[in-house]
Amino acid sequence: MLKITSLFKSYISGKYILKDINFEFTFPKKYVIEGPNGSGKSTLIGIIGGYLNKDSGTIEITQKQQNNIIDTTCINNYIDIVSPYIDYPEELNLKEIVELLYINEKELIPILLTKLQFDAKLKYKNLSSGMKQKFKILTGLISNKPIVIFDEPCIFLDNTGEKWFFEEINKLNKLIIFTESKKLHEDKKITIKKYI
């Protein structure tokens, strides 16, 4: 379980981007965080992932089989984050990037290289935005961590790629959280709900 309690995050101006967020994510379910641009979706993910600081509140991860709470200073051992805003060195080819990403998990390298639907010798800079996004998503799909968070996973994907993403996450038996931009939220707030 991933539990967020009374989470607050403000900007330097004192304006809150996240105000009193409370939610329990349970294994092995899928959840979507929806909201318009600027509503705090990526900020929330950054806080959960441990690379952004919160003003106050708690984030607890409880292991699946036990009831002990994980030390959030080792959060990277439990969560993988896939984002279109995290990039890789342009001059490396896909095989080199995979080898760097999984330097401590060498058993995952052949799995990812097999799942690639394009040549692993291609330089990262030569991929289209959609191909880069699909490559990033694949790194999350093969993750051996119990929680995988996808920030705006469909942003550069066409309809076929979007369908592929949802089919793939539905095969996973782990906690999946993804964000989606919605223009329907006029109040600039985020909503968190189970994805069917």
Side-chain angles (χ1 to χ4, degrees), residues 2-3 10 14 29 31 39 42 58 77 91 107 116-117 120-121 126 129 134 136 139 147 153-155 159 163 173 192:
L2 171 65
K3 184 178 180 182
S10 62
K29 306 239 187 290
Y31 295 87
S39 61
S42 295
T58 60
N77 295 333
E91 291 304 315
E107 72 280 2
L116 277 179
Q117 296 174 350
K121 292 179 185 157
N126 295 330
S129 297
K134 199 165 186 182
K136 292 174 189 178
T139 66
I147 302 169
C154 300
I155 195 167
N159 290 339
K163 182 180 176 201
N173 188 29
I192 305 172

Side-chain angles (χ1 to χ4, degrees), residues 20-187:
D20 199 22
I21 303 293
N22 296 280
F23 201 83
E24 285 186 17
F25 300 91
T26 57
F27 292 94
K29 306 239 187 290
K30 279 82 175 153
Y31 295 87
V32 59
I33 301 171
E34 295 178 324
N37 294 339
S39 61
K41 300 180 304 291
S42 295
T43 301
L44 178 58
I45 285 174
I47 292 169
I48 293 170
Y51 62 88
L52 286 179
N53 292 324
K54 60 189 181 311
D55 294 348
S56 62
T58 60
I59 296 175
E60 297 174 345
I61 299 174
T62 308
Q63 282 184 320
K64 210 175 190 180
Q65 308 313 59
Q66 299 107 354
N67 253 350
N68 56 328
I69 294 173
I70 308 291
D71 177 7
T72 52
T73 58
C74 350
I75 206 137
N76 288 337
N77 295 333
Y78 300 93
I79 297 177
D80 257 342
I81 295 180
V82 176
S83 171
Y85 314 110
I86 297 171
D87 247 330
Y88 303 119
E90 292 280 321
E91 291 304 315
L92 295 181
N93 68 38
L94 300 181
K95 185 175 188 291
E96 292 166 330
I97 293 169
V98 169
E99 289 169 348
L100 280 174
L101 287 173
Y102 299 104
I103 197 160
N104 295 320
E105 302 165 292
K106 295 196 185 301
E107 72 280 2
L108 296 178
I109 294 172
I111 296 169
L112 181 56
L113 291 175
T114 302
K115 286 185 176 270
L116 277 179
Q117 296 174 350
F118 27 89
D119 185 1
K121 292 179 185 157
L122 275 173
K123 293 226 183 261
Y124 186 73
K125 70 178 178 182
N126 295 330
L127 299 180
S128 69
S129 297
M131 290 170 73
K132 286 179 180 177
Q133 186 64 1
K134 199 165 186 182
F135 175 70
K136 292 174 189 178
I137 288 170
L138 279 170
T139 66
L141 293 174
I142 69 154
S143 171
N144 59 7
K145 296 180 183 170
I147 302 169
V148 182
I149 301 174
F150 296 93
D151 190 10
E152 300 283 357
C154 300
I155 195 167
F156 296 117
L157 299 181
D158 57 20
N159 290 339
T160 304
E162 217 172 294
K163 182 180 176 201
W164 165 82
F165 169 73
F166 289 110
E167 287 171 354
E168 291 298 316
I169 65 167
N170 283 325
K171 295 176 188 174
L172 300 176
N173 188 29
K174 55 179 69 186
L175 174 56
I176 302 291
I177 302 168
F178 65 95
T179 66
E180 225 175 48
S181 288
K182 294 287 182 191
K183 297 177 183 174
L184 305 171
H185 298 77
E186 296 297 326
D187 59 2

